[in-house]
């Protein structure tokens, strides 16, 4: 094992890490603060609190995977690093949910796109939702701080052809495009971000804030699932957690009781509402799990005359915001345009099909190009979002009905993406939809796509961005936490993840989570700091 | 899965979506697991299957798929993977068998809620009355030809019932990912695999 790997080095140096699958008897542990989740929010929180001298315990349901495990293989990575082995979906199965389940959370498997929360979004929150302290100016230093911490900057290397074709198409049509800022250091431009960075270039939580917290004596439990926060009056007394067995999926029967002065939940926009619902915390207005947003994603694929090799090179480096806020923040739904990487299993999963037709589609992978549209949900009354609720076994699930308002946006996005691909020189374009053929001319595509039925399952939908469900706000009638992530009814409970967003972000959310968590953790650290 | 409790997961939403489809029979799906169990369908994990009564590798221990599920995939994979399976009979059987093993491995990591969903789907396809009513496949799966299997897949893909579309996507997605995502089959998609200049210099490959 390489001693150049910071995780291997830290383990050798005696970081306080417990693999809960190895526990043989129930335990009770105690710290100043217990942080549930090790993704963008949890990692940031743990590092900031630990640096202030507070004792911190971090909990992660997934397992600790690092460089030795990142072998550039889709099947093992999807099975081990993603929620429900990459099979997570909305309640009716119509929207595939891509979400990390490992130390570092989704930041371990994301495609490194690092956007500030758009000013339009922050202005909407501060002007329409009463979050007046979250203006772009007030947030700027927090974005700047996190951009430094995670080494975020616009990608300097030329984009791969998959991304460059989005640029070319936009150029031709007079649409705006920009270079994506990425959180990498010494990136090899290989294209394997989604299966765990093999070169330790990605500066996600796994290689930044988690080591930062562990260097300051934080303790990390992995393979440990937070079951229930147990309340005494208006305070959380302790957290009950179950150890997962060696397979990472089945509880071993061992439980851990975690006591702390303060609890921070950062278990994602599906996991956090789930934990709060299981804990039956006061929720007089039944706000927990409501207004869940996902940036619904649809896609088109194109066959290009030149090889695109869409499996190699930085997966996301070019984007277009031409249609994101064009019709106003709260008008018809806006969408951001990006490009996905395409490896065989991902391509086979995205493009539904079977038989010779599927074989022919996948056989042209090296010439394939794809564009995705991320819809900015939650800014309009006809986009109220979804709902997280509990199954009988206590696991959380997201129900996300697609409204007509969103179907209209998805149809428009199909058309925009096809038009861009033809402008970039595509030989043929297909909407990722069960009824779409391959179209060889834009005029043909335009007519055919306009007539595609916009129905669940027939429109292939995805989400990699889960937000909301524990909305922040001043009014407990419409929110779960205040603008600092402090729970309205429980005095020693914060929520520091994407679940606090009152709408979607309108951009890949990792930097929004990092920045807000940094701001709220800095305040929490002052509140909890050892006096004197 | 050994726990055959009928549908603890998402009764509300699956019932709602069933009603929306206009199929009637709201409770149909939720009773299948029970009926399938009572009628002698193999719903328990197949465990190790001896080489004598099947072409499965006896060293692989099935954790989720039952013998009936395995028969289902043996019938469906020649249609799902048409054009990609080897022509030689022996090789073809081996490829189908190892793909079914990888499907089993993948499902194990799906976790209990989605495993329950798949159990419902597979039971529905394996239980003769529902196989005939919903899949409109008259013979049992071991007797189904690739042409019949393809016709079934097309029916579910083109159905106006969203739930059946969803079943089609579930069956093809887990099969396609397990097959095309596997290193031995990458070449069929033109994907050369991780670049040699990386595997030759990264510690997780060189010190393995």
């Amino acid at each position: 094992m390489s001693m150049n790997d910071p995780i291997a080095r830290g383990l050798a140096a005696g970081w306080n890490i417990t693999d809960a699958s190895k526990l043989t008897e129930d335990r009770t542990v105690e710290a100043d603060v217990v942080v549930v989740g090790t993704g963008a929010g949890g990692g940031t929180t743990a590092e900031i609190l630990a640096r202030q001298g507070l004792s911190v315990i971090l909990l992660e349901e997934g397992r600790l995977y690092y460089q030795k495990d990142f072998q550039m293989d889709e099947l093992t990575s999807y099975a081990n690093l993603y929620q429900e082995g990459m099979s997570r979906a909305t309640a009716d199965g119509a929207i595939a949910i891509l979400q990390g389940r490992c130390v570092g959370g989704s930041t371990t498997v994301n495609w490194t796109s690092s956007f500030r929360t758009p000013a339009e979004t922050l202005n909407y929150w501060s002007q329409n939702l009463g979050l007046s302290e979250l203006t772009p100016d007030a947030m700027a230093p927090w974005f700047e701080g996190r951009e430094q911490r995670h080494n975020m900057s616009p990608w300097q290397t030329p984009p791969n052809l998959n991304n460059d074709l989005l640029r070319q198409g936009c150029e031709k049509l007079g649409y705006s495009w920009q270079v994506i800022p990425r959180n990498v250091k010494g990136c090899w431009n290989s294209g394997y971000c989604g299966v765990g960075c093999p070169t330790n270039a990605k500066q996600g939580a796994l290689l930044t804030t988690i080591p930062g917290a562990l260097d300051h004596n934080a303790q990390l439990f992995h393979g440990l699932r937070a079951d229930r926060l147990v309340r005494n009056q208006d305070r959380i007394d302790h957290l009950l957690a179950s150890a997962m067995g060696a397979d990472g999926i089945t509880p071993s029967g061992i439980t851990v009781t975690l006591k702390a002065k303060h609890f921070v939940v950062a278990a994602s926009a599906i996991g956090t509402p789930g934990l709060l619902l299981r804990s039956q915390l006061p929720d007089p207005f039944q706000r927990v799990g409501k207004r869940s947003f996902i940036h619904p994603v649809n896609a088109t694929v194109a066959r290009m005359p030149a090889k695109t090799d869409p499996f190699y090179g930085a997966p996301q480096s070019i984007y277009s915001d031409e249609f994101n806020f064009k019709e106003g923040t709260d008008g018809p739904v806006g969408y951001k345009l990006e490009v996905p990487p395409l490896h065989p299993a991902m391509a086979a999963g995205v493009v539904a099909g079977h038989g010779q037709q599927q074989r022919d589609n996948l056989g042209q992978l090296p010439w394939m190009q794809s564009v995705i549209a991320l819809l900015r949900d939650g800014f309009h009354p006809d986009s109220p979002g979804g709902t997280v609720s509990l199954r009988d076994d206590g696991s959380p699930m997201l129900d996300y009905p697609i409204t007509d308002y969103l179907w209209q946006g998805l149809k428009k996005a199909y058309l925009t993406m096809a038009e861009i691909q033809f402008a970039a020189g595509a030989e043929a374009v297909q909407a990722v939809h069960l009824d779409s053929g391959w179209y060889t001319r834009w005029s043909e595509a335009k007519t055919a796509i306009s007539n595609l039925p916009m129905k669940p399952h027939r429109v292939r939908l995805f989400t990699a961005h889960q937000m909301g469900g524990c909305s922040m706000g001043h009014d407990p009638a419409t929110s779960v936490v205040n603008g600092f992530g402090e729970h309205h009814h429980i005095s020693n409970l914060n929520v520091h993840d994407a679940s606090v967003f009152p709408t979607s972000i309108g951009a890949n959310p990792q930097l929004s989570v990092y920045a807000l968590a940094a701001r709220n953790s800095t305040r929490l650290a002052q509140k909890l700091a050892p006096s004197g | 899965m050994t726990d055959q409790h009928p549908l603890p997961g998402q009764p509300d939403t699956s019932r709602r979506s069933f009603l929306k489809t206009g199929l009637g029979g709201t409770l149909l799906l939720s009773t299948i697991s029970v009926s399938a169990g009572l009628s002698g369908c193999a719903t328990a994990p197949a465990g190790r299957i001896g080489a004598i009564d099947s072409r499965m590798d006896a060293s692989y221990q099935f954790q989720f798929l039952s013998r009936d599920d395995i028969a289902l995939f043996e019938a469906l994979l020649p249609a799902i993977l048409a054009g990609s399976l080897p022509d030689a009979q022996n090789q073809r059987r081996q490829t189908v068998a190892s793909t079914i093993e990888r499907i089993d491995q993948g499902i194990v990591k799906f976790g209990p809620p989605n495993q329950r969903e798949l159990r419902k789907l597979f039971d529905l396809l394996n239980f003769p009355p529902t196989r005939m009513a919903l899949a409109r496949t008259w013979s049992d799966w071991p007797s189904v030809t690739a042409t019949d299997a393809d016709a079934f897949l097309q029916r579910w893909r083109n159905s106006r019932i969203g739930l059946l579309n969803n079943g089609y996507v579930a069956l093809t997605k887990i099969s396609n990912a397990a097959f095309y995502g596997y290193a031995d089959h990458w070449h069929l998609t033109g994907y050369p695999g991780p670049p040699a200049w990386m595997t030759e210099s990264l510690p997780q490959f060189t010190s393995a």
Side-chain angles (χ1 to χ4, degrees):
Chain A
M1 191 188 314
S2 169
M3 281 300 136
N4 291 322
D5 175 52
I7 306 294
R9 255 197 336 258
L11 283 164
W15 274 350
N16 193 351
I17 296 182
T18 303
D19 173 354
S21 75
K22 303 253 162 71
L23 296 176
T24 51
E25 53 188 25
D26 294 353
R27 285 180 65 177
T28 299
V29 291
E30 193 163 358
D32 291 330
V33 184
V34 163
V35 178
V36 181
T38 62
T44 302
T45 303
E47 179 179 39
I48 288 172
L49 298 179
R51 281 181 187 276
Q52 289 300 311
L54 293 154
S55 64
V56 174
I57 296 177
L58 271 159
L59 236 80
E60 171 58 51
E61 179 181 11
R63 296 184 55 76
L64 172 63
Y65 295 99
Y66 53 104
Q67 191 184 21
K68 70 175 174 56
D69 305 301
F70 298 151
Q71 309 222 353
M72 302 193 275
D73 180 66
E74 282 187 283
L75 294 185
T76 47
S77 293
Y78 296 162
N80 293 325
L81 305 178
Y82 284 79
Q83 294 286 352
E84 305 185 47
M86 198 60 139
S87 75
R88 181 166 275 191
T90 49
D92 65 356
I95 309 173
I97 300 174
L98 282 68
Q99 193 182 12
R101 182 184 188 267
C102 52
V103 173
S106 291
T107 75
T108 299
V109 291
N110 71 17
W111 299 335
T112 74
S113 293
S114 306
F115 298 100
R116 292 187 178 195
T117 315
E120 293 91 335
T121 299
L122 290 172
N123 286 329
Y124 182 82
W125 292 356
S126 55
Q127 287 160 20
N128 297 52
L129 304 180
L131 293 161
S132 52
E133 65 278 19
L134 294 179
T135 59
D137 280 350
M139 285 304 292
W142 298 105
F143 292 132
E144 223 167 277
R146 290 297 111 182
E147 283 160 350
Q148 283 175 22
R149 182 72 188 94
H150 298 277
N151 220 58
M152 293 167 173
S153 61
W155 183 232
Q156 299 296 317
T157 308
N160 68 3
L161 189 53
N162 194 24
N163 278 273
D164 196 56
L165 287 163
L166 172 59
R167 182 194 66 79
Q168 290 177 31
C170 287
E171 276 286 306
K172 282 261 173 59
L173 296 167
Y175 298 157
S176 64
W177 60 271
Q178 272 87 32
V179 173
I180 294 182
R182 306 183 61 221
N183 61 321
V184 292
K185 193 185 273 182
C187 172
W188 292 22
N189 196 27
S190 69
Y192 290 84
C193 307
V195 292
C197 178
T199 62
N200 279 342
K202 187 197 290 184
Q203 300 296 297
L206 179 65
L207 290 181
T208 57
T209 52
I210 301 290
L214 292 167
D215 281 341
H216 289 82
N217 305 315
Q219 180 176 11
L220 166 66
F221 283 90
H222 64 101
L224 186 62
R225 179 172 69 205
D227 287 330
R228 201 156 55 85
L229 294 158
V230 179
R231 182 170 62 97
N232 180 8
Q233 307 284 350
D234 75 330
R235 293 177 62 79
I236 302 299
D237 184 72
H238 60 276
L239 168 67
L240 292 173
S242 293
M244 298 291 112
D247 65 359
I249 304 289
T250 320
S252 67
I254 299 291
T255 61
V256 178
T257 302
L258 301 104
K259 298 184 166 190
K261 297 190 191 84
H262 206 94
F263 293 81
V264 178
V265 180
S268 89
I270 294 176
T272 295
L275 176 58
L276 267 52
L277 288 169
R278 282 197 300 276
S279 307
Q280 298 183 312
L281 300 183
D283 184 19
F285 301 95
Q286 305 208 335
R287 296 318 303 162
V288 174
K290 305 292 164 54
R291 287 185 64 79
S292 291
F293 301 108
I294 59 171
H295 288 154
V297 168
N298 65 341
T300 57
V301 289
R303 186 173 68 240
M304 289 292 164
K307 268 197 166 186
T308 52
D309 287 345
F311 27 76
Y312 293 147
Q316 297 197 312
S317 52
I318 300 290
Y319 72 102
S320 171
D321 267 350
E322 177 74 23
F323 301 94
N324 206 352
F325 293 95
K326 198 171 201 165
E327 302 194 64
T329 304
D330 54 2
V333 66
Y335 45 91
K336 191 179 195 75
L337 296 172
E338 295 176 352
V339 159
L342 293 173
H343 291 86
M346 175 71 78
V350 167
V351 182
H354 76 276
Q356 189 63 45
Q357 200 178 34
Q358 181 74 348
R359 165 80 172 89
D360 294 343
N361 277 342
L362 293 174
Q364 57 196 13
L365 190 62
W367 293 269
M368 222 187 250
Q369 196 273 341
S370 182
V371 180
I372 52 176
L374 297 80
L375 270 67
R376 189 167 48 73
D377 52 344
F379 291 83
H380 188 280
D382 293 336
S383 177
T387 305
V388 174
S389 62
L390 298 179
R391 298 185 182 97
D392 286 0
D393 68 359
S395 63
M397 96 182 147
L398 171 63
D399 183 27
Y400 192 97
I402 307 279
T403 58
D404 286 342
Y405 168 87
L406 293 174
W407 286 129
Q408 283 163 22
L410 289 163
K411 166 95 41 122
K412 192 162 170 263
Y414 271 143
L415 289 165
T416 306
M417 295 188 286
E419 185 186 25
I420 287 172
Q421 287 173 315
F422 279 113
E427 290 175 353
V429 171
Q430 182 179 48
V432 179
H433 184 294
L434 289 185
D435 299 306
S436 174
W438 282 96
Y439 313 121
T440 51
R441 292 187 326 275
W442 165 228
S443 57
E444 180 200 3
K446 196 173 173 181
T447 310
I449 291 173
S450 300
N451 290 316
L452 287 176
M454 300 304 282
K455 287 171 62 184
H457 305 294
R458 304 215 74 73
V459 177
R460 306 305 308 148
L461 293 170
F462 312 86
T463 166
H465 304 155
Q466 300 79 40
M467 300 157 284
C470 288
S471 197
M472 60 178 160
H474 293 299
D475 182 358
T478 56
S479 57
V480 177
V481 297
N482 68 20
F484 286 101
E486 297 158 348
H487 195 276
H488 284 313
H489 310 289
I490 303 290
S491 60
N492 65 338
L493 176 64
N494 278 40
V495 177
H496 283 189
D497 61 18
S499 66
V500 304
F501 299 151
T503 64
S504 73
I505 293 291
N508 308 47
Q510 71 164 338
L511 176 50
S512 298
V513 180
Y514 288 132
L516 201 61
R519 168 183 176 271
N520 296 348
S521 300
T522 302
R523 176 184 166 103
L524 180 62
Q526 285 161 3
K527 219 165 90 176
L528 299 177
S531 51
Chain B
M1 299 234 63
T2 46
D3 53 334
Q4 285 303 313
H5 44 115
L7 280 195
Q10 34 179 266
D12 289 344
T13 48
S14 60
R15 275 173 206 169
R16 228 182 13 248
S17 55
F18 231 107
L19 284 174
K20 267 191 222 152
T21 63
L23 197 73
T26 316
L27 289 170
L28 182 64
L29 202 58
S30 59
T31 55
I32 287 164
S33 285
V34 180
S35 335
L38 293 175
S39 71
C41 277
T43 56
R48 268 186 239 283
I49 295 183
I52 298 156
D53 63 341
S54 89
R55 2 184 202 288
M56 292 294 159
D57 177 355
S59 68
Y60 182 77
Q61 170 117 29
F62 282 92
Q63 291 183 68
F64 178 79
L65 295 179
S66 70
R67 281 168 184 256
D68 284 352
D69 302 339
I70 293 168
L72 170 69
F73 277 104
E74 284 178 331
L76 294 181
L77 289 184
I80 293 173
L81 304 175
S84 287
L85 289 175
D87 290 329
Q89 206 50 240
N90 255 355
Q91 246 187 308
R92 192 181 175 86
R93 284 180 174 183
Q94 271 174 14
T95 306
V96 167
S98 68
T99 303
I100 296 174
E101 290 173 10
R102 279 193 307 282
I103 290 172
D104 186 68
Q105 285 165 18
I107 296 174
V108 167
K109 294 288 186 168
F110 286 4
N114 279 346
Q115 286 176 357
R116 283 194 295 269
E117 292 300 304
L118 286 178
R119 174 58 39 231
K120 277 189 273 175
L121 174 64
F122 295 160
D123 286 354
L124 177 149
L125 287 169
N126 290 330
F127 185 48
T130 45
R131 186 194 68 222
M132 290 189 253
L134 290 175
R136 307 222 321 273
T137 299
W138 314 117
S139 20
D140 58 359
W141 292 107
S143 328
V144 163
T145 63
T147 312
D148 292 342
D150 180 71
F152 152 67
L153 292 166
Q154 292 293 357
R155 276 195 298 278
W156 273 29
R157 178 187 172 104
N158 297 328
S159 170
R160 300 167 65 94
I161 300 165
L163 198 69
L164 303 188
N165 298 160
N166 196 31
Y168 167 79
V169 171
L171 290 170
T172 53
K173 202 176 191 174
I174 54 179
S175 304
N176 283 327
F179 181 82
Y180 292 105
Y182 183 55
D184 284 6
H185 306 140
W186 287 341
H187 68 277
L188 295 168
T189 66
Y191 168 59
W197 57 270
M198 294 186 74
T199 52
E200 282 161 13
S201 53
L202 285 167
Q204 63 267 46
F205 297 97
T206 53
S207 62

